[in-house]
Structures are given as C-alpha cells and as structure tokens.
C-alpha cells in the first residue's frame, strides 16, 4: 500500500500518456510508439504543474519499468531458430557491432562527448535500437536527458534507412528475385525492429516476394538482439572495475544487471516451450506488453527531459549517430560482397 501511495500518481500519468502513444505508434510504425511517447512526454513536461506528487512514479517508470520491458523482450526470442538462421549472418553481425562500438569509442576520445552518450548511441546503433538503450542505460547510470537524446538520434537514422535502403539496394544490384541479400542487409544495418520491418517489407512489395525478405531480416535482427547479453555484462564489469572498492577484485555484484538474467531466463523458457510444441501465440501478449512497457518508460523519460537543453546539445550526438550508421552500412554491404552473398 505504501508503494502505491508513493508511485501511483506518476505511474497513472505515464500510463495515461502511454496508451495514445502506443496506439499512434501502431498507426505510424515508421515513427513508432517509443519516439511518439518521448515527444508527448517532453511536450507535457513543458507545461507548469506541481511535479512533486508525480516525481517518484515517473522515476520508477523510467528505470524499473524499463528493466521489466527488457525482461519481457526475452519472450520474443526462440534461441534455437535464431541461432540456426543466424549462423550465416553471425560474422556480419559481429563485425558491424564491433565497428560501430569502435566508432563510438573514437568519438568519445576525440569529439569531446561524454562516455555515457557515446555508449548509448553505439549500442543503440549496432544492436537493436531502443531495446539496447533500455538494457544499457541502468548499467551505465544514464540520465533521462541522455536516454532521450540517444533514442532521438536512433529514430532519425531509422527513418533514413527505411526511406533510402530499398533504393540503395536496387542501385547496388542486390538480387530482386530473392529476399536473402537485402534481408541480411536490413537485418544488420537497420537497428530498430519497426524500421527493420518497414525496410524489408518495402523490398518484398517492390519485387512481389511475399514475406521472404521480411522473415530473413527479422530473424537476423533477433540474432543481433542476443548481443545485449555480452555487451551489458562487459559494461557491468567495466563499471565495476572503475568503482572504488577496498578489494583488489572489481565488485561486479554491485553493478551486475540482474534483469539481464531474467531476460536470458525468459528466452530459454520460450525456446523450451516452443520445442515442446506450445504455439508461439502463447507468448504474443508478453511481447506486446514489453513494447507497451518501453512506451511507458519513454513517456517518463520525456517528462524529465528539457527540450531546450536537448536541442542545444543535440548536434554532436547526431553526428556520432551518423558515423555509426554509415560505418554499419558500409561494413554490412562490404562483407556481403566479400562473402559472395550478392
């Protein structure tokens, strides 16, 4: 009851704004519910109102609800199918992630941007957009402004990819008779699931391929999602090694992302259940709830974000996002060419 008294008003506000954001996201999938939620949250946050009674609930939504969303994301992963289909794409996935993270690190070293922002943009660009940012933010203790900036940057290049990549694929001569090459390209070079879907579906409709490209791209994208696990564990270790402690061994237990263990458990449970013949539709409500939880968290982040400060400091993150996006695109296409996939 005490918990309800402290957080209920803020949670009610976030959920109330999340519902229309989620519905609008379904109508405009290229933009997506999380981006709409951030924008609505930022707009509402500019109106003067007594924030005190809402503060704890908003903070709970931006942190705990975000972690619950990542846990539920695991129910969308059938590890057996992902690993089987993802073996072909694994070298490209590893290389694109490595290159993007390296670019983000170099930007941190030489472009005077803080390590938190560089990390969020790096993992968001290379792994799976908002989901990777949601998993990483609690570990590196990113504030709401930094999360909002990173999500905004990722959104911008998602839209650019969805609009430009089908035309680029035609120009480069990717096979129009199969969705294999373009599906692999979309699955490795576009980061957010909704934008991967939009990009791959466009190629299918252009060449009457049914859902061949879409199926390939989404499976590759799910394989990339698994990179959340090693990346978050590595970040936890790095943070622990930099945290002052009386012991000579880094205190990883203090920063260990326990919610990632639940994410792994959800993935294993899903895989086991599907292997036993339980239909995938059983997990659909949990996947939908995961998406809605992310929208709730993005509303909270928007409410805590100062638009003017975001605009004033937004040029450098956008440039870093561009460099990560460009490096991923070039790496994906170059490796496909060298491996003879197209």
């Amino acid at each position: 009851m005490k918990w309800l008294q402290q957080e209920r008003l803020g949670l009610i506000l976030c959920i109330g704004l999340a519902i229309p954001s989620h519905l609008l996201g379904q109508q405009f999938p290229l933009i997506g519910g999380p981006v709409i939620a951030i924008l609505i949250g930022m707009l509402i946050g500019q109106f003067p109102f007594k924030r005190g009674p809402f503060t704890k609930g908003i903070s709970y939504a931006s942190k705990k609800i975000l972690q619950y969303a990542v846990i539920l994301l695991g129910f969308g992963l059938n590890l057996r199918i992902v690993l089987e289909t993802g073996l072909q794409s694994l070298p490209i996935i590893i290389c694109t992630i490595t290159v993007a993270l390296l670019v983000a690190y170099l930007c941190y070293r030489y472009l005077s941007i803080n390590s938190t922002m560089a990390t969020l943009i790096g993992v968001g660009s290379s792994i799976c957009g908002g989901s990777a940012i949601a998993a990483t933010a609690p570990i590196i203790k990113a504030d709401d402004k930094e999360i909002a900036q990173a999500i905004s940057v990722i959104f911008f290049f998602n839209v650019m990819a969805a609009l430009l990549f089908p035309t680029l694929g035609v120009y480069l001569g990717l096979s129009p008779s199969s969705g294999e090459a373009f599906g692999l390209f979309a699955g490795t070079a576009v980061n957010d699931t909704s934008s991967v879907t939009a990009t791959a579906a466009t190629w299918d409709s252009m060449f009457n391929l049914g859902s061949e490209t879409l199926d390939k791209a989404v499976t590759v994208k799910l394989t990339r999602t698994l990179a959340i696990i090693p990346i978050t564990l590595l970040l936890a270790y790095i943070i622990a090694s930099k945290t002052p402690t009386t012991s000579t061994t880094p205190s990883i237990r203090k920063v260990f992302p326990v919610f990632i263990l639940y994410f792994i458990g959800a993935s294993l449970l899903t895989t086991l259940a599907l292997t036993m013949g339980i239909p995938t539709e059983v997990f659909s409500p949990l996947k939908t709830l995961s998406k809605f939880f992310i929208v709730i968290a993005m509303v909270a982040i928007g409410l805590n974000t100062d638009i003017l400060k975001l605009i004033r400091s937004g040029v450098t993150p956008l440039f870093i996002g561009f460099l990560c996006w460009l490096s991923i695109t070039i790496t994906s296409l170059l490796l496909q060419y060298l491996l003879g996939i197209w």
Side-chain angles (χ1 to χ4, degrees):
M1 185 62 70
K2 185 179 179 181
W3 176 84
L4 286 175
Q5 290 175 348
Q6 291 179 335
E7 275 88 6
R8 64 179 178 181
L9 289 179
L11 282 174
I12 289 172
L13 174 62
C14 292
I15 293 171
L17 295 175
I19 292 173
S21 300
H22 181 67
L23 294 175
L24 285 170
Q26 291 178 326
Q27 295 298 315
F28 304 98
L30 187 57
I31 300 175
V35 172
I36 294 173
I38 283 183
L39 294 175
I40 290 178
M42 287 193 295
L43 289 174
I44 298 298
Q46 303 313 301
F47 289 97
F49 65 96
K50 194 177 293 185
R51 299 179 68 93
F54 301 93
T55 301
K56 288 190 176 181
I58 293 173
S59 177
Y60 186 89
S62 69
K63 294 177 173 62
K64 289 295 184 179
I65 297 294
L66 200 56
Q67 294 182 17
Y68 298 151
V70 175
I71 293 170
L72 292 172
L73 184 68
F75 289 105
L77 291 175
N78 182 345
L79 298 180
R80 183 178 61 82
I81 294 178
V82 167
L83 292 175
E84 285 176 0
T85 311
L87 286 177
Q88 178 199 35
S89 61
L90 194 58
I92 299 177
I93 290 172
I94 292 173
C95 288
T96 52
I97 291 175
T98 302
V99 167
L101 292 177
L102 179 60
V103 168
Y105 173 74
L106 292 175
C107 288
Y108 154 65
R109 288 295 303 271
Y110 299 109
L111 293 182
S112 300
I113 187 169
N114 68 63
S115 60
T116 301
M117 179 57 62
T119 301
L120 290 178
I121 293 176
V123 298
S125 299
S126 61
I127 301 176
C128 53
S131 299
I133 291 173
T136 305
I139 299 168
I140 61 176
K141 295 180 171 53
D143 61 35
D144 289 346
K145 173 193 164 187
E146 290 166 331
I147 296 172
Q149 278 186 315
I151 291 285
S152 301
V153 168
I154 297 304
F155 158 69
F156 178 78
F157 291 107
N158 275 338
V159 173
M160 293 294 291
L163 294 175
L164 298 179
F165 278 4
T167 302
L168 178 63
V170 173
Y171 178 77
L172 292 174
L174 295 180
S175 174
S177 61
S178 166
E180 183 78 9
F182 191 82
L184 183 55
F185 173 47
T188 52
V190 187
N191 48 63
D192 189 75
T193 303
S194 60
S195 297
V196 170
T197 301
T199 307
T202 299
W203 188 265
D204 279 331
S205 64
M206 286 170 62
F207 300 106
N208 298 315
L209 296 174
S211 63
E212 183 180 340
T213 311
L214 180 60
D215 292 342
K216 178 69 175 181
V218 170
T219 304
V220 172
K221 168 65 175 60
L222 292 176
T223 307
R224 282 171 63 197
T225 302
L226 293 176
I228 287 177
I229 299 169
I231 291 296
T232 50
L233 295 178
L234 176 61
L235 286 171
Y237 180 81
I238 292 172
I239 296 296
S241 66
K242 294 180 178 179
T243 302
T245 176
T246 55
S247 172
T248 57
T249 304
S251 182
I252 194 170
R253 292 179 60 184
K254 293 183 179 180
V255 294
F256 185 81
V258 177
F259 67 94
I260 292 297
L261 291 181
Y262 291 112
F263 167 79
I264 297 171
S267 303
L268 292 172
L269 179 62
T270 301
T271 304
L272 178 63
L274 295 177
T275 302
M276 296 171 61
I278 297 175
T280 185
E281 289 77 12
V282 171
F283 297 100
S284 294
L286 295 174
K287 291 190 288 184
T288 301
L289 186 60
S290 171
K291 295 177 182 177
F292 185 62
F293 274 14
I294 288 180
V295 173
I296 293 173
M298 293 305 113
V299 167
I301 288 168
L303 288 169
N304 283 335
T305 302
D306 188 319
I307 294 179
L308 294 179
K309 288 183 179 179
L310 185 64
I311 293 173
R312 282 197 295 265
S313 59
V315 177
T316 303
L318 194 65
F319 180 62
I320 293 174
F322 170 73
L323 292 178
C324 289
W325 181 62
L326 184 63
S327 66
I328 290 170
T329 302
I330 293 173
T331 302
S332 177
L333 289 170
L334 181 61
L335 287 174
Q336 281 204 61
Y337 179 78
L338 293 175
L339 294 172
I341 298 174
W342 63 278

Coordinates of all heavy atoms in Angstrom, one line a residue, residues 33-106:
G33 N 5.9 3.8 -31.4 CA 5.4 4.3 -30.1 C 6.4 4.9 -29.2 O 6.1 6.0 -28.6
P34 N 7.6 4.4 -29.1 CA 8.6 5.0 -28.1 C 9.0 6.4 -28.5 O 9.1 7.3 -27.6 CB 9.8 4.1 -28.3 CG 9.2 2.7 -28.6 CD 8.1 3.1 -29.5
V35 N 9.2 6.7 -29.8 CA 9.5 8.1 -30.2 C 8.3 9.0 -29.9 O 8.5 10.1 -29.4 CB 9.9 8.1 -31.6 CG1 10.1 9.6 -32.1 CG2 11.2 7.3 -31.8
I36 N 7.1 8.6 -30.3 CA 5.9 9.4 -30.0 C 5.8 9.6 -28.5 O 5.4 10.8 -28.1 CB 4.7 8.7 -30.6 CG1 4.8 8.6 -32.1 CG2 3.4 9.4 -30.2 CD1 3.7 7.8 -32.8
A37 N 6.1 8.6 -27.7 CA 5.9 8.8 -26.3 C 6.9 9.8 -25.7 O 6.5 10.6 -24.9 CB 6.2 7.4 -25.6
I38 N 8.1 9.8 -26.2 CA 9.1 10.8 -25.7 C 8.7 12.2 -26.1 O 8.7 13.1 -25.3 CB 10.5 10.5 -26.4 CG1 11.2 9.3 -25.6 CG2 11.4 11.7 -26.3 CD1 12.6 9.0 -26.1
L39 N 8.2 12.3 -27.3 CA 7.7 13.7 -27.8 C 6.5 14.2 -27.0 O 6.5 15.3 -26.5 CB 7.4 13.6 -29.3 CG 8.5 13.3 -30.3 CD1 8.0 13.2 -31.7 CD2 9.6 14.4 -30.2
I40 N 5.6 13.3 -26.7 CA 4.4 13.7 -25.9 C 4.9 14.0 -24.5 O 4.4 15.0 -23.9 CB 3.3 12.6 -25.9 CG1 2.7 12.5 -27.3 CG2 2.3 12.8 -24.9 CD1 1.7 11.4 -27.4
G41 N 5.7 13.2 -24.0 CA 6.2 13.4 -22.6 C 6.9 14.8 -22.5 O 6.7 15.5 -21.5
M42 N 7.8 15.1 -23.5 CA 8.5 16.3 -23.5 C 7.6 17.5 -23.6 O 7.8 18.5 -22.9 CB 9.6 16.4 -24.6 CG 10.8 15.5 -24.3 SD 12.2 15.8 -25.4 CE 11.5 15.3 -27.0
L43 N 6.6 17.4 -24.4 CA 5.6 18.5 -24.6 C 4.8 18.7 -23.3 O 4.6 19.9 -22.9 CB 4.7 18.2 -25.8 CG 5.3 18.2 -27.2 CD1 4.3 17.8 -28.2 CD2 5.7 19.7 -27.5
I44 N 4.3 17.6 -22.7 CA 3.6 17.8 -21.5 C 4.5 18.3 -20.4 O 4.0 19.1 -19.5 CB 3.0 16.4 -21.0 CG1 2.0 15.9 -22.1 CG2 2.3 16.5 -19.7 CD1 0.8 16.8 -22.3
G45 N 5.7 17.9 -20.4 CA 6.6 18.4 -19.4 C 6.9 19.8 -19.4 O 7.4 20.4 -18.4
Q46 N 6.6 20.5 -20.5 CA 6.9 21.9 -20.6 C 5.8 22.8 -19.9 O 6.0 23.9 -19.6 CB 7.0 22.4 -22.1 CG 8.1 21.6 -22.9 CD 9.4 21.6 -22.1 OE1 10.0 22.6 -21.8 NE2 9.9 20.3 -21.9
F47 N 4.6 22.1 -19.7 CA 3.6 22.9 -19.0 C 3.8 23.0 -17.5 O 4.3 22.0 -16.9 CB 2.2 22.2 -19.2 CG 1.7 22.3 -20.6 CD1 1.9 21.3 -21.6 CD2 1.0 23.4 -21.1 CE1 1.4 21.4 -22.9 CE2 0.5 23.5 -22.4 CZ 0.8 22.5 -23.3
P48 N 3.6 24.1 -16.9 CA 3.8 24.2 -15.5 C 2.8 23.4 -14.7 O 1.6 23.6 -14.8 CB 3.7 25.7 -15.2 CG 2.8 26.2 -16.3 CD 3.1 25.3 -17.5
F49 N 3.3 22.5 -13.9 CA 2.4 21.8 -12.9 C 3.2 21.4 -11.7 O 4.4 21.3 -11.8 CB 1.7 20.6 -13.6 CG 2.6 19.5 -14.0 CD1 2.8 18.4 -13.2 CD2 3.2 19.5 -15.3 CE1 3.6 17.4 -13.6 CE2 4.1 18.5 -15.7 CZ 4.3 17.4 -14.9
K50 N 2.6 21.1 -10.6 CA 3.3 20.7 -9.4 C 3.8 19.3 -9.6 O 3.0 18.3 -9.4 CB 2.3 20.8 -8.2 CG 3.0 20.8 -6.9 CD 2.0 21.0 -5.7 CE 1.5 22.4 -5.7 NZ 0.6 22.7 -4.6
R51 N 5.1 19.1 -9.8 CA 5.6 17.8 -10.1 C 5.8 16.9 -8.9 O 6.0 15.7 -9.1 CB 7.0 18.0 -10.9 CG 6.9 18.8 -12.2 CD 8.2 18.9 -12.8 NE 8.7 17.6 -13.3 CZ 8.6 17.2 -14.5 NH1 7.9 17.9 -15.4 NH2 9.1 16.0 -14.9
G52 N 5.9 17.5 -7.7 CA 6.2 16.7 -6.5 C 5.5 15.4 -6.4 O 6.1 14.4 -6.2
P53 N 4.1 15.4 -6.4 CA 3.4 14.1 -6.2 C 3.7 13.1 -7.3 O 3.4 11.9 -7.1 CB 1.9 14.6 -6.3 CG 2.0 16.0 -6.0 CD 3.2 16.5 -6.6
F54 N 4.2 13.5 -8.5 CA 4.4 12.6 -9.6 C 5.8 12.1 -9.7 O 6.1 11.2 -10.5 CB 4.0 13.3 -10.9 CG 2.6 13.8 -11.0 CD1 2.3 15.1 -10.6 CD2 1.5 13.0 -11.4 CE1 1.0 15.6 -10.7 CE2 0.2 13.4 -11.5 CZ -0.1 14.7 -11.1
T55 N 6.7 12.7 -9.0 CA 8.2 12.5 -9.2 C 8.6 11.1 -9.1 O 9.3 10.5 -9.9 CB 9.0 13.4 -8.3 OG1 8.7 14.8 -8.6 CG2 10.5 13.2 -8.6
K56 N 8.2 10.4 -8.0 CA 8.6 9.1 -7.7 C 8.0 8.1 -8.7 O 8.7 7.1 -9.1 CB 8.2 8.7 -6.3 CG 9.0 9.3 -5.2 CD 8.8 8.8 -3.8 CE 9.7 9.4 -2.8 NZ 9.5 8.8 -1.4
G57 N 6.8 8.3 -9.1 CA 6.2 7.4 -10.1 C 6.9 7.5 -11.5 O 7.1 6.5 -12.2
I58 N 7.2 8.8 -11.8 CA 7.9 9.0 -13.1 C 9.3 8.4 -13.1 O 9.7 7.7 -14.1 CB 8.0 10.5 -13.4 CG1 6.6 11.1 -13.7 CG2 8.9 10.8 -14.6 CD1 6.6 12.6 -13.8
S59 N 10.0 8.5 -12.0 CA 11.3 7.9 -11.8 C 11.2 6.4 -11.9 O 12.0 5.7 -12.5 CB 11.9 8.4 -10.5 OG 13.2 7.8 -10.3
Y60 N 10.2 5.8 -11.2 CA 10.0 4.4 -11.2 C 9.8 3.9 -12.7 O 10.3 2.9 -13.1 CB 8.8 4.0 -10.4 CG 8.6 2.5 -10.2 CD1 9.3 1.8 -9.2 CD2 7.8 1.8 -11.1 CE1 9.1 0.4 -9.0 CE2 7.6 0.4 -10.9 CZ 8.3 -0.2 -9.9 OH 8.1 -1.6 -9.7
A61 N 9.0 4.6 -13.4 CA 8.7 4.2 -14.8 C 9.9 4.3 -15.7 O 10.1 3.4 -16.5 CB 7.6 5.1 -15.4
S62 N 10.7 5.3 -15.5 CA 11.9 5.5 -16.4 C 13.0 4.5 -16.1 O 13.9 4.3 -16.9 CB 12.4 6.9 -16.3 OG 13.0 7.2 -15.0
K63 N 13.0 3.9 -14.9 CA 14.0 3.0 -14.5 C 13.5 1.5 -14.4 O 13.9 0.6 -15.2 CB 14.7 3.4 -13.2 CG 15.4 4.7 -13.4 CD 16.0 5.2 -12.1 CE 16.9 6.5 -12.3 NZ 16.1 7.6 -12.8
K64 N 12.6 1.2 -13.5 CA 12.2 -0.1 -13.2 C 11.3 -0.7 -14.4 O 11.5 -1.8 -14.8 CB 11.4 -0.2 -11.9 CG 12.3 0.0 -10.7 CD 13.2 -1.2 -10.5 CE 14.0 -1.1 -9.2 NZ 15.0 -2.2 -9.1
I65 N 10.4 0.1 -14.8 CA 9.5 -0.3 -16.0 C 10.4 -0.6 -17.2 O 10.1 -1.6 -17.9 CB 8.4 0.7 -16.3 CG1 7.5 0.9 -15.1 CG2 7.6 0.3 -17.5 CD1 6.7 -0.3 -14.7
L66 N 11.4 0.2 -17.4 CA 12.3 0.0 -18.5 C 13.0 -1.4 -18.4 O 13.2 -2.1 -19.4 CB 13.4 1.1 -18.5 CG 14.1 1.3 -19.8 CD1 13.2 1.6 -21.0 CD2 15.1 2.5 -19.6
Q67 N 13.4 -1.8 -17.2 CA 14.0 -3.1 -17.0 C 13.0 -4.2 -17.2 O 13.4 -5.3 -17.8 CB 14.6 -3.2 -15.6 CG 15.8 -2.2 -15.3 CD 16.4 -2.3 -13.9 OE1 16.2 -3.3 -13.2 NE2 17.1 -1.3 -13.5
Y68 N 11.8 -4.0 -16.7 CA 10.8 -5.1 -16.9 C 10.5 -5.3 -18.4 O 10.3 -6.4 -18.9 CB 9.5 -4.7 -16.2 CG 9.6 -4.5 -14.7 CD1 8.8 -3.7 -14.0 CD2 10.5 -5.3 -14.0 CE1 8.9 -3.5 -12.6 CE2 10.6 -5.2 -12.6 CZ 9.8 -4.3 -11.9 OH 9.9 -4.2 -10.6
A69 N 10.6 -4.2 -19.2 CA 10.4 -4.3 -20.6 C 11.5 -5.2 -21.3 O 11.2 -6.0 -22.2 CB 10.4 -2.9 -21.3
V70 N 12.7 -5.0 -20.8 CA 13.8 -5.8 -21.4 C 13.6 -7.3 -21.0 O 13.8 -8.2 -21.8 CB 15.1 -5.3 -20.8 CG1 16.3 -6.3 -21.3 CG2 15.4 -3.9 -21.3
I71 N 13.2 -7.6 -19.8 CA 12.9 -9.0 -19.4 C 11.8 -9.6 -20.3 O 12.0 -10.7 -20.8 CB 12.4 -9.0 -17.9 CG1 13.6 -8.6 -17.0 CG2 12.0 -10.4 -17.5 CD1 13.2 -8.3 -15.5
L72 N 10.7 -8.9 -20.5 CA 9.6 -9.4 -21.3 C 10.1 -9.6 -22.8 O 9.5 -10.4 -23.5 CB 8.4 -8.5 -21.2 CG 7.7 -8.5 -19.9 CD1 6.7 -7.4 -19.8 CD2 7.1 -9.8 -19.6
L73 N 11.1 -8.8 -23.2 CA 11.6 -8.9 -24.6 C 12.1 -10.3 -24.8 O 12.1 -10.8 -25.9 CB 12.7 -7.9 -24.8 CG 13.3 -7.8 -26.1 CD1 12.3 -7.2 -27.1 CD2 14.6 -6.9 -26.1
G74 N 12.6 -11.0 -23.8 CA 13.1 -12.3 -23.9 C 12.1 -13.3 -24.4 O 12.4 -14.3 -25.0
F75 N 10.8 -13.0 -24.1 CA 9.7 -14.0 -24.6 C 9.5 -13.9 -26.1 O 8.7 -14.7 -26.6 CB 8.4 -13.7 -23.8 CG 8.5 -14.1 -22.3 CD1 8.6 -13.1 -21.4 CD2 8.4 -15.4 -22.0 CE1 8.7 -13.4 -20.0 CE2 8.5 -15.7 -20.6 CZ 8.6 -14.8 -19.7
G76 N 10.2 -13.0 -26.8 CA 10.1 -13.0 -28.2 C 11.2 -13.7 -28.9 O 11.3 -13.7 -30.1
L77 N 12.1 -14.4 -28.1 CA 13.2 -15.0 -28.7 C 13.2 -16.5 -28.6 O 13.2 -17.1 -27.5 CB 14.5 -14.5 -28.0 CG 14.9 -13.0 -28.2 CD1 16.1 -12.7 -27.4 CD2 15.2 -12.8 -29.7
N78 N 13.1 -17.2 -29.8 CA 13.3 -18.6 -29.8 C 14.8 -18.8 -30.2 O 15.2 -18.7 -31.3 CB 12.4 -19.2 -30.9 CG 12.5 -20.7 -31.0 OD1 13.4 -21.3 -30.5 ND2 11.6 -21.4 -31.7
L79 N 15.6 -19.1 -29.2 CA 17.0 -19.2 -29.4 C 17.4 -20.3 -30.4 O 18.4 -20.1 -31.1 CB 17.7 -19.5 -28.0 CG 17.5 -18.4 -27.0 CD1 18.2 -18.9 -25.7 CD2 18.0 -17.1 -27.4
R80 N 16.7 -21.3 -30.5 CA 17.1 -22.4 -31.5 C 17.0 -21.9 -32.9 O 17.9 -22.0 -33.7 CB 16.1 -23.6 -31.3 CG 16.5 -24.8 -32.2 CD 15.6 -26.0 -31.9 NE 14.2 -25.7 -32.2 CZ 13.6 -25.7 -33.4 NH1 14.4 -26.0 -34.4 NH2 12.4 -25.4 -33.5
I81 N 15.8 -21.3 -33.3 CA 15.6 -20.8 -34.6 C 16.6 -19.6 -34.9 O 17.2 -19.5 -36.0 CB 14.2 -20.4 -34.8 CG1 13.3 -21.6 -34.8 CG2 14.0 -19.6 -36.2 CD1 11.8 -21.3 -34.9
V82 N 16.7 -18.7 -33.9 CA 17.6 -17.6 -34.1 C 19.0 -18.0 -34.4 O 19.7 -17.5 -35.3 CB 17.6 -16.7 -32.8 CG1 18.7 -15.7 -32.8 CG2 16.2 -15.9 -32.7
L83 N 19.5 -19.0 -33.6 CA 20.9 -19.5 -33.8 C 21.1 -20.2 -35.1 O 22.1 -20.1 -35.8 CB 21.3 -20.4 -32.6 CG 21.4 -19.6 -31.3 CD1 21.7 -20.6 -30.1 CD2 22.5 -18.6 -31.3
E84 N 20.1 -21.1 -35.5 CA 20.2 -21.8 -36.7 C 20.2 -20.9 -37.9 O 21.1 -21.0 -38.8 CB 18.9 -22.7 -36.9 CG 19.0 -24.0 -36.0 CD 17.7 -24.8 -36.1 OE1 16.8 -24.4 -36.9 OE2 17.7 -25.8 -35.4
T85 N 19.3 -19.9 -38.0 CA 19.2 -19.0 -39.1 C 20.3 -17.9 -39.0 O 20.8 -17.4 -40.0 CB 17.9 -18.3 -39.1 OG1 16.8 -19.3 -39.0 CG2 17.7 -17.5 -40.4
G86 N 20.7 -17.6 -37.8 CA 21.7 -16.6 -37.6 C 23.1 -16.9 -37.8 O 24.0 -16.1 -37.9
L87 N 23.4 -18.2 -38.0 CA 24.8 -18.6 -38.3 C 25.4 -18.0 -39.5 O 26.6 -17.6 -39.5 CB 24.9 -20.2 -38.4 CG 24.7 -21.0 -37.1 CD1 24.8 -22.5 -37.3 CD2 25.8 -20.6 -36.1
Q88 N 24.6 -17.9 -40.5 CA 25.1 -17.2 -41.8 C 25.5 -15.8 -41.5 O 26.4 -15.2 -42.0 CB 24.1 -17.4 -42.9 CG 24.6 -16.7 -44.2 CD 23.4 -16.4 -45.1 OE1 22.3 -16.1 -44.7 NE2 23.6 -16.5 -46.4
S89 N 24.6 -15.1 -40.8 CA 24.7 -13.7 -40.6 C 25.7 -13.3 -39.4 O 26.0 -12.1 -39.2 CB 23.3 -13.1 -40.3 OG 22.8 -13.6 -39.1
L90 N 26.1 -14.3 -38.6 CA 26.8 -14.0 -37.4 C 28.1 -13.3 -37.7 O 28.4 -12.3 -36.9 CB 27.1 -15.4 -36.7 CG 27.6 -15.2 -35.2 CD1 26.6 -14.5 -34.4 CD2 27.9 -16.6 -34.6
P91 N 28.9 -13.6 -38.7 CA 30.2 -12.9 -38.9 C 29.9 -11.4 -39.2 O 30.6 -10.5 -38.8 CB 30.8 -13.6 -40.1 CG 30.2 -14.9 -40.1 CD 28.8 -14.8 -39.6
I92 N 28.8 -11.2 -40.0 CA 28.5 -9.8 -40.3 C 28.0 -9.0 -39.1 O 28.3 -7.9 -38.9 CB 27.4 -9.7 -41.5 CG1 27.9 -10.4 -42.7 CG2 27.0 -8.3 -41.8 CD1 27.0 -10.5 -43.8
I93 N 27.1 -9.7 -38.3 CA 26.6 -9.1 -37.1 C 27.8 -8.7 -36.1 O 27.8 -7.6 -35.6 CB 25.6 -10.1 -36.3 CG1 24.4 -10.2 -37.1 CG2 25.3 -9.6 -34.9 CD1 23.4 -11.3 -36.6
I94 N 28.7 -9.6 -35.9 CA 29.8 -9.4 -35.0 C 30.7 -8.2 -35.5 O 31.1 -7.3 -34.8 CB 30.7 -10.6 -34.9 CG1 29.9 -11.7 -34.1 CG2 32.0 -10.3 -34.1 CD1 30.7 -13.0 -34.0
C95 N 30.9 -8.2 -36.8 CA 31.7 -7.1 -37.4 C 31.0 -5.8 -37.3 O 31.7 -4.7 -37.0 CB 32.1 -7.4 -38.9 SG 33.3 -8.8 -39.0
T96 N 29.7 -5.7 -37.7 CA 29.0 -4.4 -37.6 C 28.9 -3.9 -36.2 O 29.1 -2.7 -36.0 CB 27.6 -4.6 -38.2 OG1 26.9 -5.6 -37.6 CG2 27.6 -4.8 -39.7
I97 N 28.7 -4.8 -35.2 CA 28.6 -4.3 -33.8 C 30.0 -3.8 -33.4 O 30.1 -2.7 -32.8 CB 28.2 -5.5 -32.9 CG1 26.7 -5.8 -33.2 CG2 28.4 -5.1 -31.5 CD1 26.2 -7.0 -32.4
T98 N 31.1 -4.6 -33.7 CA 32.4 -4.2 -33.3 C 32.8 -2.8 -33.9 O 33.3 -1.9 -33.3 CB 33.4 -5.2 -33.8 OG1 33.1 -6.5 -33.2 CG2 34.8 -4.8 -33.4
V99 N 32.5 -2.6 -35.2 CA 32.9 -1.4 -35.9 C 32.1 -0.2 -35.3 O 32.7 0.9 -35.1 CB 32.6 -1.5 -37.4 CG1 32.7 -0.1 -38.1 CG2 33.6 -2.5 -38.1
A100 N 30.8 -0.4 -35.1 CA 30.0 0.7 -34.5 C 30.5 1.1 -33.1 O 30.6 2.3 -32.8 CB 28.5 0.3 -34.5
L101 N 30.8 0.1 -32.3 CA 31.2 0.4 -31.0 C 32.6 1.1 -31.0 O 32.9 2.0 -30.2 CB 31.3 -0.9 -30.1 CG 29.9 -1.5 -29.8 CD1 30.1 -2.8 -29.0 CD2 29.0 -0.5 -29.0
L102 N 33.5 0.7 -31.9 CA 34.8 1.3 -32.1 C 34.6 2.8 -32.5 O 35.3 3.6 -32.0 CB 35.6 0.5 -33.1 CG 37.0 1.1 -33.4 CD1 37.8 1.1 -32.1 CD2 37.7 0.3 -34.5
V103 N 33.7 3.0 -33.5 CA 33.5 4.4 -33.9 C 33.0 5.2 -32.7 O 33.4 6.4 -32.5 CB 32.5 4.4 -35.1 CG1 32.0 5.8 -35.3 CG2 33.1 3.8 -36.3
A104 N 32.0 4.7 -32.0 CA 31.5 5.4 -30.8 C 32.6 5.7 -29.8 O 32.7 6.8 -29.2 CB 30.4 4.6 -30.1
Y105 N 33.5 4.8 -29.6 CA 34.6 5.0 -28.7 C 35.6 6.1 -29.2 O 36.0 6.9 -28.4 CB 35.4 3.7 -28.5 CG 36.6 3.8 -27.6 CD1 36.6 4.0 -26.2 CD2 37.9 3.8 -28.2 CE1 37.7 4.2 -25.5 CE2 39.1 4.0 -27.5 CZ 39.0 4.2 -26.1 OH 40.1 4.4 -25.4
L106 N 35.9 6.0 -30.5 CA 36.8 7.1 -31.0 C 36.1 8.5 -30.9 O 36.8 9.4 -30.7 CB 37.1 6.7 -32.5 CG 38.0 5.5 -32.7 CD1 38.1 5.2 -34.2 CD2 39.3 5.7 -32.0

